[in-house]
């Protein structure tokens, strides 16, 4: 059977490959062996709060499961608009909001609507691997630009200007970012957006962790950029992270008004609509009791960060930039690799460095983390991503095991 080239160009999602390896190792453990601690997947250990699950149950019981408009329930679009107003002080017209089958569908729709074959999209290295795969699936080319700790692992306006060429279509940023948990400074984002506007390009910003911002300096949506720039940004968001609805597969786009009809046509044909039950459930996310619970959980995520990052630094797994959002620790593991006799990154991405260290941690500490191979090409063997989307007790146990192994 002949496989299409676009499918062959899409790389494996190594986060999931490591998850399979960790699960297989855990399955072989004896009754007296330590259980595996999973700090590899970026999924909150919290699930949807009671009002949300109750709303889903009511929708099922009342038979409210028919298709919705491709753009989503009008009431949900209104509720999302209200959240932007109350949380960020932004007036977002609900007509600019398109509800999607997760942030993945949002990115797919945006890329299909805007990217032609051969178009280049500039992205920081490191960045979330699936984002570049969406660009490639639309026949574009993701151009990864090394972005180190000195610039918070984010693109600078100078880098964007230097890399821009006739094939460049725009930029795809993430703030806060996966895998680093760092956000792009507001003035830097404004400079990038102004330059992209000057070039007639597009600015896409993945904001799925925006609700989990911990620092007032960075917790701002790109939709609030001045001089009309915010109206030109394409913002991608999700109910998975802040709203703890990962498996419900629900997200949204905020689009420039002129782009809504094109995205709606694509959504009608590719998805019909997002899950109707999930949409009815998501309405309850914006009830005062639910929002209070989400804020309590955000405080817990911050407490986990404040425990785990200093512990990593103390153990020699240096986290060069304190995450200001999300739930990740992007740790420099060169020192630990040297200590354990693991060679630096080899000629192949599955040789040495953080890739080999990830398997060594599973063996020695029964601790699963994600190597840098997934997130870019610049220094894949240097960094390891830990997810702190786990209980404080599990994080404390993980640190204790590392201390013992060291």
């Amino acid at each position: 059977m002949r496989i299409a080239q676009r499918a062959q160009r899409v790389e494996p999602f190594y986060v999931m490959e490591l998850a399979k390896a960790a699960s297989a190792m855990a399955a072989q453990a004896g009754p007296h062996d330590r259980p595996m601690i999973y700090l590899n997947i970026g999924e909150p250990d919290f699930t949807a709060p009671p009002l949300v699950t109750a709303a889903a149950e009511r929708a099922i019981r009342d038979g409210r499961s028919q298709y919705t408009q491709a753009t989503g329930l009008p009431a949900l679009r209104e509720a999302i608009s209200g959240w932007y107003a109350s949380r960020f002080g932004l007036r977002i017209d609900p007509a600019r909001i398109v509800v999607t089958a997760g942030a993945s569908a949002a990115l797919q729709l945006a890329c299909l609507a805007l990217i032609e074959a051969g178009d280049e999209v500039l992205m920081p290295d490191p960045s979330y691997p699936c984002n570049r795969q969406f660009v490639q699936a639309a026949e574009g080319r993701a151009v990864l630009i090394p972005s180190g700790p000195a610039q918070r692992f984010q693109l600078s306006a100078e880098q964007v200007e230097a890399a821009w060429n006739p094939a460049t279509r725009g930029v795809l940023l993430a703030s806060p970012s996966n895998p680093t948990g760092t956000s792009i400074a507001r003035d830097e984002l404004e400079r990038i957006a102004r330059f992209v506007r000057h070039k007639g390009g597009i600015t896409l910003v993945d904001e799925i962790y925006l609700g989990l911002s911990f620092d007032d300096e960075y917790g701002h949506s790109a939709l609030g950029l001045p001089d009309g720039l915010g109206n030109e940004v394409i913002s991608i968001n999700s109910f998975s992270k802040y709203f703890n609805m990962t498996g419900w597969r629900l997200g949204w786009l905020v689009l420039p008004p002129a782009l809504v009809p094109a995205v709606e046509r694509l959504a009608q044909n590719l998805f019909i609509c997002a899950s109707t039950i999930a949409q009815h459930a998501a309405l309850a996310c914006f009830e005062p009791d639910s929002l209070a619970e989400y804020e309590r959980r955000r405080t817990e995520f911050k407490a986990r960060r404040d425990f785990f990052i200093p512990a990593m630094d103390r153990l020699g797994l240096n986290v060069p930039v304190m995450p200001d959002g999300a739930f990740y620790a992007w740790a420099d593991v060169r020192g630990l690799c040297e200590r354990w006799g693991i060679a630096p990154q080899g000629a192949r991405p599955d040789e040495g460095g953080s890739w080999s260290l990830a398997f060594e941690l599973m063996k020695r500490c029964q601790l699963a983390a994600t190597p840098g191979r997934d997130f870019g090409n610049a220094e894949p063997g240097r960094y390891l991503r830990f997810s702190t989307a786990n209980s404080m007790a599990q994080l404390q146990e993980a640190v204790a095991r590392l201390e013992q192994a060291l």
Side-chain angles (χ1 to χ4, degrees):
M1 178 180 294
R2 182 170 62 87
I3 306 298
Q5 286 298 310
R6 79 172 60 83
Q8 297 187 50
R9 284 194 297 269
V10 173
E11 301 170 29
F13 192 6
Y14 293 107
V15 169
M16 307 312 289
E17 296 298 314
L18 262 291
K20 288 191 291 187
S23 296
M25 192 175 295
Q28 297 172 2
H32 303 295
D33 292 331
R34 296 186 300 192
M36 187 74 69
I37 295 176
Y38 297 94
L39 303 185
N40 54 324
I41 302 296
E43 180 173 33
D45 58 324
F46 300 114
T47 56
L51 288 179
V52 175
T53 55
E57 290 168 0
R58 282 197 307 275
I60 295 169
R61 186 176 61 247
D62 297 344
R64 288 180 290 161
S65 56
Q66 293 84 6
Y67 295 137
T68 71
Q69 298 174 23
T71 52
L73 287 171
L76 183 55
R77 298 165 80 191
E78 291 275 359
I80 294 169
S81 174
W83 183 67
Y84 278 110
S86 62
R87 178 70 184 269
F88 304 105
L90 299 176
R91 295 173 59 87
I92 304 297
D93 184 352
R96 295 175 57 195
I97 297 170
V98 176
V99 178
T100 60
S104 297
L107 274 159
Q108 182 181 12
L109 289 167
C111 289
L112 290 175
L114 293 164
I115 295 172
E116 301 278 10
D119 283 348
E120 295 183 356
V121 178
L122 309 180
M123 301 171 62
D125 183 340
S127 59
Y128 181 58
C130 295
N131 287 1
R132 64 180 184 266
Q133 305 305 338
F134 288 117
V135 172
Q136 293 188 146
E139 307 294 332
R141 189 171 82 88
V143 178
L144 298 182
I145 300 175
S147 308
Q151 57 200 73
R152 303 180 55 77
F153 301 107
Q154 295 282 355
L155 286 183
S156 68
E158 288 74 17
Q159 285 179 308
V160 172
E161 292 180 27
W164 199 279
N165 67 74
T168 307
R169 183 72 177 101
V171 297
L172 174 49
L173 312 171
S175 187
S177 167
N178 177 3
T180 66
T182 61
S183 298
I184 188 167
R186 186 177 177 84
D187 58 347
E188 198 68 39
L189 178 58
E190 182 180 341
R191 283 194 288 270
I192 291 172
R194 286 190 187 281
F195 176 79
V196 173
R197 171 201 271 177
H198 170 70
K199 289 293 188 178
I202 55 173
T203 300
L204 297 96
V205 185
D206 173 347
E207 298 190 319
I208 70 172
Y209 295 98
L210 184 62
L212 290 175
S213 292
F214 309 129
D215 189 330
D216 290 342
E217 181 180 354
Y218 296 104
H220 306 283
S221 172
L223 297 168
L225 290 175
D227 298 333
L229 290 168
N231 295 329
E232 300 170 12
V233 165
I234 295 98
S235 172
I236 297 97
N237 218 312
S238 173
F239 283 93
S240 289
K241 309 302 182 180
Y242 176 71
F243 295 102
N244 308 151
M245 294 177 68
T246 51
W248 300 69
R249 307 313 304 132
L250 199 64
W252 74 85
L253 285 162
V254 181
L255 302 166
L259 187 55
V260 173
V263 169
E264 182 176 9
R265 288 195 304 273
L266 286 166
Q268 287 169 339
N269 284 278
L270 296 179
F271 299 101
I272 300 180
C273 68
S275 164
T276 303
I277 300 301
Q279 291 189 62
H280 282 294
L283 284 167
C285 291
F286 304 101
E287 294 289 336
D289 286 352
S290 294
L291 290 172
E293 175 61 15
Y294 288 131
E295 285 301 288
R296 186 195 69 77
R297 294 175 180 185
R298 182 167 71 102
T299 300
E300 175 62 22
F301 280 124
K302 182 178 182 296
R304 296 172 183 180
R305 178 202 70 170
D306 292 345
F307 162 75
F308 194 75
I309 303 297
M312 290 295 98
D313 289 337
R314 188 177 71 251
L315 293 170
L317 291 97
N318 175 246
V319 179
V321 184
M322 173 64 92
D324 58 82
F327 35 64
Y328 300 112
W330 187 239
D332 187 330
V333 295
R334 290 175 298 176
L336 181 55
C337 286
E338 182 178 356
R339 186 168 180 175
W340 282 1
I342 296 172
Q345 181 68 55
R348 297 181 354 199
D350 59 349
E351 292 178 344
S354 63
W355 180 266
S356 296
L357 179 64
F359 286 90
E360 200 65 27
L361 284 172
M362 285 191 276
K363 294 174 187 174
R364 297 193 190 198
C365 303
Q366 293 72 55
L367 175 60
T370 301
R373 180 181 182 183
D374 246 338
F375 303 103
N377 304 319
E379 295 181 292
R382 176 175 175 177
Y383 293 101
L384 194 69
R385 190 197 74 176
F386 294 90
S387 168
T388 55
N390 210 325
S391 70
M392 184 67 84
Q394 288 280 278
L395 295 175
Q396 290 169 339
E397 174 63 18
V399 169
R401 291 184 188 182
L402 285 167
E403 287 177 333
Q404 184 181 31
L406 292 171

